[in-house]
Each structure stands twice: as structure tokens, then as C-alpha cells.
Amino acid sequence: MMKRASSFLWNLRQFSTFVPTSRTMRLYPLGFSRPRIVFSYNSNLRNLLLSDFGNRVQSSIRYLFQDALIFKSRDDFQTKGVSPETVLTVSRVLCPRRLSFDSKHSLFSDEGLKINFHHEASNEDVLTKETKPTPVNYRKLSRECSSLSDVLDKFSEASTFPSSNYISAMWTIAKRMSDDQKRIEKQLMFNHPAFSQLCEQVMRDAKIMHCDHLLFSLHAVVKLGIPQNSLLVQTLLRVVQERINECDEKCLSVLSTVLEAMEPCKNVDVLRAGVRILADQQVWKIERVFTLQAMMKCVGKDAPIALKRKLEMKALRELDRFSDLNSQHMFEALAAMNHRSITLLNECSKMVIGNIHGCPFKVLINILQSCRDLRYRNLDLFKGIADYVATTIDIWKLKQVLFLLILLEDLGFRHTDLMDLFMKKVIDDPASLNMKSIISILHVYSSLNHFYKCQTQEFQEAMARSLTGYLHHISSENLLKAVSSFCLMNHFPLALINQLLQKDIINELLTSGDIERNVHKLRILAACLKLDTSCPKAVDLALPPLPSIPLSPNAKVADALSSLLGEGYFLRNVQLPHNYHIDFEVRMDINRSRVLPFSHMDAVTSAAHIQRVAVLCVPRSTYCLDLTHPRGFLAMKMRHLKVMGFHVILVHNWEIERLQMKDVVTFLKTELYSAEAFPTADVNLQSTC
């Protein structure tokens, strides 16, 4: 018995020597342990442990006190009825990152006090249930509480480890709220007295909680709107940097999602670089498509092209496992890293078209935005989306359909059925539109040059009346946008034009804002006021001259005209009044059966017997996506050229490039000469060639 007591006292003295008093922890009234200072590493204690257990002990002090008692070095040590000020058990819950000790080992081998590193040891060795609350599940907590303040109240009453559960529960509750309610609850959260305590506890727990709890805490903190430059967020980012190698696939998915939503800063950039390294190393081991897509969004646009291609190849390998959601989200993932994979986009487009019914409106918008960012044009995809919205238009709000039309216009896609249905709804209820919506509608319909049979005039008048009510509130630039849209549609509301032509408004447009764009729109207005017969007034606007930009017409078309007509029978780069430019001008007789030379033209033939022909070489961008319907500005230019007496011939640059020279000559001959004069033209052609 004396030997055992002696052994016990000796072991106790040895242990108390290596545990300094500065490391003691006291229980706070909230019911969890808070260290007075951060634990420092003790080399003497490490040497003692290494001598006892060899290489089985890991180096971090965080693993040391698993299921162990931490004492103050006092002489009045007691084993029963231990005061909370004196002793604390650090359980497995508090220290999840455990030592890999064998269950039979202990610090003291005698039958006295033993500090066991047993993985199944009880968490209630010393503390009673009253002093150590049972860990709370965040799902249960989110069900029991109805507001963010309720969660904070429970935390202040009796908090438990890990504190991440409270943060996660708060975000779970916030997701169920409306935007207005969420804004109010967040303000109450920031003002709650326990909120700062919770933030402090999360920072203290960050290094010892499980990696998934750490990342879910960071995710919840960011989603709750806690400022990114706050100490809490930056501390969590730093701890994640230290523990990034502990991330499994689930953790990487959460981390990628969080980083994708955060603004660039030093700690975010470091973590993003770490995710890129892990993605490069582990891409072939990823099992879930959602994790792959989250990593694609996280690596960003400036990721190495080799990594982008590796992620693309992994996605192509997983195509057979893609769900409907996977195919829908792949557009956004590719856009996030600015990588246009035509094969992947085409396959996902087919899946989206085949399963589009019931697709959320937000997902449709994200798909179109991603297509715009990636410069990906797929007529079948756009038509499928527009067909679905047109079929179900009654379930959507006007603002939703307008947002979709704005994106389709940006892509150059004109869906006649959807635009006709939307026009009818606007005519039936113009009062439901605000000023911004009216300006956007005018831009879409004028840009795509869309008219709907007999209802176009009614639509234009309804838009003009609605916008006139905002004359005292509309800015100069918005007024100019609206009037220029009306000009493209060949409609001229007097009230809006008179307001715009006021001297102070014109001066404001020429001296502030986007001056170059304003001048371009004012030139459109000036040309329409001069040329369109439906315009009630003509006003001279003093606008800056056009900059002299050297223009080179299509060389292939120029060679074909030389071969077809000969030099001296056409002009290149013709500048016309009202700031219009044409690539080539040809002059013919009134029946378009014979080409006239430009030398001594006025002396030979009167203007009444001349047909001027304008040859315009136009790019794809001047047409809608189907390449059959000219867009607004080209349509207006053709209208004005006809007013100036021209017969207009459109030459599609993208088609000419594919043709051989003889085919280009044949095309121009067919377009230049009238159908009635074509046999004669053929004889003349043979004689001139």
C-alpha cells in the first residue's frame, strides 16, 4: 500500500512539474471551457511523452489532453468532489483531432490515478451533467428556434461544443425567411448581446473542431452577411489555410462554394490557390459531379489552361452520370472559369432541352447569362427556353419575362411568338410597368426590329403614353435612349422629342456621361428628323464631326465587281449625308438593265433616269441569330438609303468568305440586275469580260 501511495505521489509531482499554471482552464458560467491564453508547446512534456510512447505520439499539443484531466499545480489536490476551478476534462467532443494511442496505454501505470487515452472513454469522467451540457445538433436547434435571436438566446443560456452548430442553425433559419424578414433579423442579430460572445467562441473553437464543422461555420458566417474584413471571417480563413490538407471531397465542395462567393483578398487568394493545387492533384478521385462543378467555379478565370482542360475532361468522363441539375449548372461552372467547351455545352444543351419543363426561372436566366459570357450560340437551346416560357407565360411575372427577353436580345435571338405574346400583355396593362421597364422594352423591340402585324402602332403609342408620365423624373440619358429606340422603330412621339431637344438637355448630353454613345444616338435622331416622312419636325443639331477612320471594303467583293463591271463603273467607300457610309456604289439605268460609268455622268444622263445602287457588306452582328432578319440599326439604314434614292444590296461577309470568286461574281450579277433585264445583262457581262 505504501509503495502504491509513494508511486502515486511521485507521478503526481512529475506531472504537475510539466503542466504550467498558465495553461489552466476555468469553467465560465455559460457552461463551456475558455482558456485564459492560447496553449503553448512544452518541450519537456513532449520529451516525457516521446520517451514513454515512442513514435506513436503526434507532435501537436492539441492532441494531448484527449479524455485527460488538466490540473493546477497545487498541493491541495483532490480526486473526489473536484472544484470546477480546479479540474476540467477535455473530452473527445472538445478535441476531435485525437492522438493515435493504443487503448491500453496510460500516463501512470500504477493503480493510482490514470489518464487514459482510450477512444471509448466516457465524456462524463469528472464534470457532472449540470456543468457540461449535451452537444446540440444544429438541425434540431433550427427546428426549435424561429429566429436568429432565439438561437443566440439558447447559446447564452447553455452553450455546448462545437459552437459551429449555432452558426449553422442561424443560417438554416435565415434561408427560410423572406428578404425583408432576413434583413430585419440580421440587424437584430448584430445588436444581440450574445452575438459577439458567439463570434469569439467560434474563433476559439476553430482549431479544434472537425474540419467539416469549420467549413460549415465559414459558409454560414459568409452567408449571414458578416463583413468579410471582420476578425471572425479572416480568422476562419487563416485556420482553413492551416488545415486545408484535412479536407475530404465534401469539405472541398463547401470550401469551393464559399470562396466562389467571396471578394478577392489576401487570405481568399491564398485559399483559392490551394484549391487549385488540390483540384489538380485530386480531380480524378472526385466522385460527385456537384463537387467537380463547385471546384470549377472556385478555380476562376485566371486558372492555368491545363487545369481547366483537366476539369473539362473529368466532366466529359462523367457525362453519363449527369442529372438534370448537373447539366443545368454546368453552364455556370464553365462560365465561372471562362472555358468554352463546345462538346460539353452541346451535350448539356440537349439534356436541358429534353427536361426543360419545371425548370426554375432562375436556372434559365443563369443558363442564358453563361451562354452570353461564353459567347456560345445554340439556336435549339434558345428556342427551347423561349418556347417553354411562351407556353407558360401566364405563370410568370412581366418583369421575369422582360429579363429573359433582355438576355435573348443580348444574344441576338428573336423569338417571334414570345415577343408577340409579351407585346399583347404590355398593351393590355401598360400601367404595371415602371420607367426602367419601359426603356428596356423599347430597347429590346427596336434592337431586334420586331413588329407584330397591326398591333405595332398600338404598342408604340401605349409605350409613348406611359413614358410621357415620367417626363419630370426621367434623366437626360434615359430620355435619349427611349427616343432613339422610337426612332429605330420609325415612331416619333412629339412630347418626348420636344423635351429632348431643349438646349440645356442637349448640352448636358454632349458634356457629361458616355459622350460617345450620346453623340451616336443624337446622330440617329438627327437623321430620322431629316429623312423620315412620318417625322413632324426637322431640327439641325450641332454635333461633333465623325472621326476619320480608314475603311477597307471587302477585298473579295471589290475584285468580283472589277471582274463583273470593270474599273470606272463603281465607287469604293462612299460617304453620304447624315453620316451614312456605303461600301460600294453602282449607277445603273432606271430599269437596272445597264451599268453606267461615273465619268461625265451628269452630262450624259439626268438624275431622273439613274438608279443608284448601294452595296453593303454586313457582318453577322447586324442580323438576328437566325441570320434572316436584320436588326434595328441596319433596318433603319436601309430605310434611309431608300429615302435617298438607293437600291440596297446586302452582301453577307460570312457567306462571301466561303465562296469561290466565280460564285461571288454570279451572286453580284444576280443581285445587281433586275429579273427582267437579266438575259440582257448576261450578254453585256460576256462582252465586258
Side-chain angles (χ1 to χ4, degrees):
M1 185 66 184
M2 290 297 294
K3 289 183 178 180
R4 291 180 180 178
S6 175
S7 176
F8 166 75
L9 293 174
W10 183 88
N11 284 327
L12 176 59
R13 284 193 297 271
Q14 293 296 319
F15 184 70
S16 61
T17 301
F18 296 113
V19 182
T21 58
S22 60
R23 295 189 198 170
T24 60
M25 303 174 72
R26 58 175 294 193
L27 282 181
Y28 278 64
L30 292 179
F32 54 85
S33 56
R34 299 184 179 184
R36 287 182 177 271
I37 63 169
V38 178
F39 284 111
S40 60
Y41 198 81
N42 189 301
S43 60
N44 292 332
L45 184 56
R46 177 181 179 276
N47 293 334
L48 173 64
L49 291 174
L50 287 176
S51 63
D52 287 343
F53 300 107
N55 294 328
R56 284 175 294 185
V57 179
Q58 300 183 21
S59 61
S60 176
I61 194 66
R62 288 193 296 267
Y63 298 124
L64 178 59
F65 297 109
Q66 174 70 27
D67 292 324
L69 294 175
I70 304 175
F71 302 96
K72 284 188 178 182
S73 55
R74 301 192 331 188
D75 294 334
D76 55 339
F77 171 76
Q78 51 185 347
T79 58
K80 293 183 181 181
V82 181
S83 169
E85 292 278 352
T86 308
V87 63
L88 167 71
T89 180
V90 184
S91 64
R92 281 190 302 115
V93 180
L94 286 175
C95 293
R97 303 169 69 196
R98 298 181 297 220
L99 284 169
S100 56
F101 289 163
D102 189 278
S103 60
K104 294 181 181 180
H105 287 296
S106 64
L107 274 178
F108 304 114
S109 58
D110 296 295
E111 295 181 3
L113 177 65
K114 293 186 178 182
I115 303 177
N116 292 321
F117 291 87
H118 196 294
H119 289 185
E120 302 301 326
S122 171
N123 293 333
E124 304 297 334
D125 291 338
V126 177
L127 293 180
T128 63
K129 293 182 179 180
E130 289 75 18
T131 60
K132 183 185 175 192
T134 304
V136 64
N137 183 280
Y138 83 91
R139 291 187 178 89
K140 180 181 178 183
L141 192 60
S142 63
R143 289 193 298 267
E144 294 175 349
C145 301
S146 58
S147 68
L148 307 186
S149 298
D150 290 346
V151 178
L152 292 172
D153 290 340
K154 283 189 174 291
F155 171 79
S156 61
E157 291 170 3
S159 62
T160 60
F161 183 90
S163 53
S164 60
N165 286 333
Y166 295 93
I167 292 287
S168 298
M170 292 168 70
W171 169 236
T172 303
I173 294 171
K175 287 191 294 184
R176 303 196 294 253
M177 298 177 177
S178 63
D179 292 339
D180 292 337
Q181 186 182 4
K182 194 182 299 182
R183 184 170 56 253
I184 295 172
E185 283 292 329
K186 285 183 179 179
Q187 188 61 46
L188 294 174
M189 174 190 74
F190 287 124
N191 295 332
H192 197 285
F195 178 68
S196 59
Q197 298 176 16
L198 176 59
C199 293
E200 293 172 3
Q201 187 61 30
V202 171
M203 288 189 288
R204 279 192 288 266
D205 292 347
K207 288 194 174 185
I208 59 173
M209 66 175 66
H210 283 292
C211 189
D212 55 347
H213 288 176
L214 172 64
L215 289 168
F216 279 121
S217 296
L218 177 61
H219 178 266
V221 162
V222 171
K223 291 296 184 180
L224 284 171
I226 297 176
Q228 183 173 319
N229 61 351
S230 63
L231 180 61
L232 172 61
V233 175
Q234 295 300 318
T235 298
L236 293 178
L237 290 172
R238 289 296 300 272
V239 175
V240 173
Q241 291 175 26
E242 297 174 6
R243 301 179 58 182
I244 192 170
N245 287 327
E246 300 176 29
C247 292
D248 56 11
E249 182 175 326
K250 179 181 178 181
C251 293
L252 278 177
S253 178
V254 177
L255 177 59
S256 300
T257 303
V258 174
L259 294 178
E260 195 267 334
M262 298 184 74
E263 296 294 329
C265 70
K266 185 176 181 180
N267 284 324
V268 170
D269 294 342
V270 170
L271 275 175
R272 197 183 295 273
V275 171
R276 288 177 183 172
I277 295 173
L278 291 178
D280 188 62
Q281 294 174 347
Q282 303 180 19
V283 61
W284 306 116
K285 301 177 183 178
I286 296 175
E287 297 180 357
R288 298 175 67 249
V289 178
F290 277 119
T291 302
L292 176 64
Q293 292 175 334
M295 296 181 73
M296 292 171 74
K297 294 177 185 178
C298 179
V299 298
K301 297 180 180 181
D302 54 346
I305 188 63
L307 176 58
K308 293 180 181 180
R309 288 175 178 167
K310 188 179 290 188
L311 292 167
E312 175 193 359
M313 291 302 300
K314 174 64 176 179
L316 289 172
R317 288 188 181 185
E318 302 292 332
L319 267 176
D320 295 338
R321 297 176 52 228
F322 271 26
S323 64
D324 294 342
L325 286 177
N326 294 146
S327 60
Q328 294 164 4
H329 292 165
M330 185 52 69
F331 291 86
E332 190 176 0
L334 289 171
M337 64 177 188
N338 193 28
H339 186 67
R340 183 171 60 173
S341 170
I342 300 299
T343 304
L344 195 54
L345 289 168
N346 288 343
E347 292 300 319
C348 290
S349 296
K350 294 176 184 176
M351 297 180 68
V352 169
I353 296 170
N355 302 278
I356 198 168
H357 292 284
C359 184
F361 189 82
K362 184 178 179 181
V363 173
L364 297 178
I365 294 298
N366 287 338
I367 290 174
L368 293 177
Q369 288 176 330
S370 300
C371 291
R372 177 197 60 194
D373 296 341
L374 291 170
R375 301 175 302 282
Y376 174 68
R377 305 293 185 264
N378 188 320
L379 274 173
D380 293 334
L381 175 63
F382 301 159
K383 185 177 184 301
I385 293 175
D387 284 343
Y388 170 63
V389 175
T391 304
T392 59
I393 193 170
D394 291 330
I395 69 174
W396 308 114
K397 298 178 181 178
L398 277 181
K399 288 185 178 180
Q400 290 179 310
V401 182
L402 175 58
F403 193 23
L404 185 120
L405 287 175
I406 291 172
L407 286 173
L408 291 176
E409 182 275 330
D410 205 5
L411 292 163
F413 182 72
R414 171 177 170 262
H415 192 275
T416 56
D417 292 341
L418 179 59
M419 297 187 75
D420 291 346
L421 288 170
F422 186 77
M423 185 183 289
K424 288 181 181 179
K425 284 187 169 292
V426 167
I427 293 172
D428 293 339
D429 188 18
S432 63
L433 302 171
N434 57 28
M435 180 183 65
K436 185 177 179 181
S437 297
I438 295 171
I439 294 172
S440 298
I441 292 171
L442 291 172
H443 170 73
V444 169
Y445 279 79
S446 62
S447 175
L448 294 176
N449 188 32
H450 182 78
F451 300 96
Y452 178 52
K453 302 176 184 176
C454 60
Q455 288 196 334
T456 296
Q457 186 70 20
E458 187 179 357
F459 165 74
Q460 293 171 344
E461 291 175 355
M463 292 292 96
R465 283 194 304 269
S466 298
L467 195 59
T468 303
Y470 293 101
L471 270 182
H472 298 293
H473 310 286
I474 191 170
S475 67
S476 300
E477 287 197 356
N478 283 335
L479 180 60
L480 178 60
K481 289 178 184 178
V483 170
S484 63
S485 296
F486 277 121
C487 290
L488 291 178
M489 294 189 289
N490 198 19
H491 184 74
F492 305 95
L494 274 178
L496 299 176
I497 293 176
N498 290 335
Q499 178 78 6
L500 178 62
L501 291 178
Q502 292 181 16
K503 187 176 180 179
D504 56 338
I505 292 181
I506 296 295
N507 290 336
E508 180 184 348
L509 292 170
L510 294 177
T511 56
S512 62
D514 191 339
I515 298 176
E516 184 177 352
R517 183 181 62 185
N518 293 343
V519 170
H520 171 70
K521 292 184 181 296
L522 286 172
R523 287 199 178 101
I524 292 176
L525 174 61
C528 290
L529 293 178
K530 289 285 187 180
L531 297 174
D532 285 311
T533 56
S534 58
C535 183
K537 61 187 300 183
V539 178
D540 291 324
L541 294 176
L543 299 176
L546 280 173
S548 57
I549 301 175
L551 300 173
S552 56
N554 192 299
K556 203 169 188 179
V557 175
D559 293 342
L561 286 172
S562 297
S563 175
L564 176 63
L565 305 176
E567 293 296 335
Y569 284 85
F570 67 95
L571 296 178
R572 298 176 174 86
N573 287 331
V574 180
Q575 189 66 40
L576 300 175
H578 311 295
N579 301 304
Y580 281 124
H581 164 270
I582 58 177
D583 297 283
F584 303 97
E585 180 184 351
V586 179
R587 296 189 179 183
M588 308 180 73
D589 65 346
I590 198 66
N591 296 320
R592 288 176 40 226
S593 61
R594 183 166 58 94
V595 179
L596 304 176
F598 278 86
S599 58
H600 307 291
M601 178 70 67
D602 296 335
V604 176
T605 310
S606 65
H609 297 89
I610 296 176
Q611 175 63 64
R612 302 177 73 181
V613 179
V615 180
L616 303 180
C617 301
V618 295
R620 287 176 180 266
S621 58
T622 59
Y623 276 83
C624 294
L625 200 56
D626 58 1
L627 301 178
T628 61
H629 188 76
R631 300 191 69 165
F633 185 78
L634 177 60
M636 183 190 68
K637 184 176 181 179
M638 293 169 63
R639 183 176 79 232
H640 287 169
L641 288 175
K642 290 177 182 178
V643 171
M644 288 188 280
F646 282 92
H647 172 72
V648 181
I649 295 175
L650 297 178
V651 177
H652 300 159
N653 288 338
W654 66 94
E655 292 181 348
I656 290 298
E657 295 303 321
R658 297 198 304 262
L659 297 177
Q660 297 181 359
M661 182 58 69
K662 62 178 182 179
D663 298 322
V664 178
V665 172
T666 302
F667 167 76
L668 290 173
K669 180 179 68 174
T670 305
E671 293 294 324
L672 279 170
Y673 295 97
S674 63
E676 297 79 8
F678 194 78
T680 307
D682 189 41
V683 174
N684 293 341
L685 175 65
Q686 293 176 359
S687 62
T688 56
C689 294

